[in-house]
Amino acid sequence: MLNIDSLQNGIVIDHITAGTAMVIYDLLELGRLDCCVAIIKNARSEKYGRKDIIKIDGESNVNVDILGFLDPNITVGIIREGILVEKRKPQMPKTLKNVIRCRNPRCITSTEEEIDQIFLLSENNKYRCAYCEQEYQPKRK
């Protein structure tokens, strides 16, 4: 079994759907951090079977709010002096900016490339384009 040292100070993003850690790595722009980032793919999980984990060593200003949109099972643990001091489950953010794209060909974001892709969380927990109100539909696999 692979052994990854525990963190003294940092962030642990846990319970990521197996195989999707790199998507989160890219969206959170973790490659720009000047610290050690460990990605553990397909770790064994009693609850989910397999999962991914991301460990970020040291103090960092990572915006983890988007995680509630990406995966409802994700948990974020804050580690200080080797102790888990906070564990939270991110909620769906009220606004998504440049995370998803509007698929409406008539939307202004389809013709004007410099306009930010902004989606707002509606009352029925669906995201709608801020410009044309098109409901976001994830791609089917």
Side-chain angles (χ1 to χ4, degrees), residues 39-111:
I39 297 174
I40 303 159
K41 293 182 69 178
N42 294 314
R44 282 186 226 126
S45 168
E46 289 182 24
K47 190 172 186 179
Y48 300 109
R50 298 266 181 215
K51 67 179 180 177
D52 289 357
I53 303 168
I54 298 175
K55 292 184 175 187
I56 305 166
D57 188 30
E59 296 293 324
S60 59
N61 191 17
V62 176
N63 182 359
V64 295
D65 294 336
I66 192 173
L67 298 177
F69 164 73
L70 294 174
D71 191 335
N73 298 320
I74 286 179
T75 58
V76 177
I78 308 298
I79 311 296
R80 299 282 181 256
E81 297 179 16
I83 299 170
L84 178 66
V85 295
E86 180 183 354
K87 187 172 185 177
R88 62 183 169 115
K89 202 168 177 72
Q91 301 299 310
M92 293 179 73
K94 295 194 183 314
T95 303
L96 293 175
K97 183 176 177 182
N98 297 325
V99 175
I100 53 179
R101 299 186 58 81
C102 184
R103 294 197 188 131
N104 180 356
R106 294 187 190 112
C107 182
I108 192 168
T109 61
S110 297
T111 58

